[in-house]
Amino acid sequence: QVRLVESGGGLVQAGGSLRLSCAASGRTSSNSATGWFRQAPGKEREFVAAISGSGGSTYYADSVKGRFTISRDNAKNTVYLQMNSLTPEDTAVYYCVAYRPFEVPTTTLPRSWGQGTQVTVSS
C-alpha cells in the first residue's frame, strides 16, 4: 500500500501562490500516476491535476489549467502542485492521490489517498 503525506497548505490572499508537496512511501511505482483532488465545504471531491509515473503526461481540470502546475521527483518519491493566481474558489482540502500501475487518471479513480491539507484563499 502507498502512503501519502501532504504538506504546504495554508492561508493565502487572492492572487497569491502556494506549493503543495506530497511524500509517498510504501509500494511506490514509477509506472503509477499520482495527482491531486480537492474538496470544498459542502461539495463533492473533484479532480484537480495528475501526472504520469514518468512525468511525461499531465492532466488538469479546466478550472486550474494555466494556473496550477503538477510535477514529480521520482528520486524523492514526491509530487508537487504549484498553485498560482489563487482565488477563493480554490479554497478546499487538497488530497494527494496515487493510481494503480499503468492506469490513466482520466479513466479511473485513484487507489490511495492522503489525509489532506487545507488551502484557504481570502478575498
Side-chain angles (χ1 to χ4, degrees), residues 3 8-9 12 18 26 33 37 48 54 58 62 84 100 107-108 120:
R3 293 182 177 182
V12 65
L18 283 174
F37 277 65
V48 177
S54 68
T58 57
D62 288 342
N84 299 327
R100 296 176 176 85
T107 64
T108 65
T120 302

Side-chain angles (χ1 to χ4, degrees), residues 35-116:
W36 298 87
F37 277 65
R38 67 186 182 186
Q39 186 170 28
K43 304 279 287 185
E44 298 295 320
R45 290 187 183 184
E46 65 174 348
F47 171 81
V48 177
I51 186 168
S52 64
S54 68
S57 299
T58 57
Y59 313 85
Y60 296 97
D62 288 342
S63 59
V64 307
K65 197 172 299 181
R67 300 188 298 121
F68 291 10
T69 302
I70 189 169
S71 61
R72 68 189 301 159
D73 184 340
N74 285 346
K76 295 182 177 181
N77 288 324
T78 301
V79 62
Y80 305 94
L81 185 68
Q82 178 66 46
M83 305 185 294
N84 299 327
S85 301
L86 287 163
T87 77
E89 296 298 318
D90 297 314
T91 295
V93 176
Y94 284 71
Y95 297 90
C96 182
V97 300
Y99 296 80
R100 296 176 176 85
F102 304 105
E103 291 188 343
V104 181
T106 55
T107 64
T108 65
L109 291 174
R111 69 169 173 178
S112 301
W113 296 74
Q115 293 295 308

